Amino acid sequence: MGVKTPKDLLYRERFRAWERHPNTEVYLTVDHPDKAWKYNVGVVTNLFDQVEIDPRHSIAMMCGPEIMMRYTARSLLSRGIAADRIYVSLERNMKCAIAFCGHCQLGPTFVCREGPVYRYDRIQPWFETREI
Ligand code: FES
């Protein structure tokens, strides 16, 4: 999980329990740490260098700014995770919510009608193109 400051973290009261679980690893990063921060500093994609991934048994699900998801998806693909094992949640600006106005359009799909969660292989060409 990556956020701007430690105060922006969701579920922070649960991190210790998650860290103690034998099958769970928790990686946190912030852009602007405070004095008590003991985890990473920087963008979330930097955390992938610390994570061991078995691409055959991994599924990635992400939400956040599209630019972050674009770089994260590229990193996951380069680590061998297939595009059909990556899911993104698109939070586009919506107006009509009935696939009429085009505000949420990404290539041939309308996030308000078919989204917001997409399997990456179904949107990759358009998601990789900036300003669409
Ligand atoms: S919000 Fe208008 S097309 Fe999706």
Side-chain angles (χ1 to χ4, degrees):
M1 181 184 295
V3 293
K4 288 186 178 168
T5 72
K7 290 180 180 155
D8 299 324
L9 285 169
L10 299 174
Y11 309 116
R12 95 181 56 137
E13 71 284 354
R14 300 180 190 177
F15 290 153
R16 289 203 192 293
W18 290 348
E19 287 175 325
R20 285 194 299 266
H21 193 281
N23 296 322
T24 303
E25 297 175 29
V26 177
Y27 294 90
L28 305 171
T29 188
V30 296
D31 293 334
H32 308 289
D34 60 20
K35 289 181 179 165
W37 186 250
K38 63 178 185 174
Y39 298 96
N40 300 281
V41 176
V43 295
V44 73
T45 49
N46 291 346
L47 298 176
F48 288 119
D49 295 336
Q50 302 172 34
V51 180
E52 282 190 36
I53 296 174
D54 178 352
R56 295 166 300 146
H57 299 102
S58 298
I59 294 175
M61 292 171 268
M62 62 183 114
C63 61
E66 287 190 15
I67 184 82
M68 182 277 297
M69 292 194 291
R70 184 177 300 124
Y71 281 103
T72 302
R74 285 181 193 161
S75 178
L76 293 167
L77 292 167
S78 74
R79 302 281 304 267
I81 296 183
D84 64 355
R85 299 178 69 86
I86 298 171
Y87 292 83
V88 296
S89 180
L90 301 182
E91 309 297 336
R92 292 213 148 184
N93 186 17
M94 295 186 199
K95 297 273 185 181
C96 71
I98 56 171
F100 183 73
C101 73
H103 272 85
C104 69
Q105 188 170 4
L106 177 67
T109 188
F110 294 89
V111 176
C112 68
R113 186 173 61 195
E114 287 96 22
V117 177
Y118 289 89
R119 211 174 72 188
Y120 197 65
D121 61 318
R122 294 184 173 154
I123 61 164
Q124 185 174 2
W126 303 283
F127 199 71
E128 283 287 326
T129 304
R130 293 185 62 166
E131 308 302 327
I132 286 185

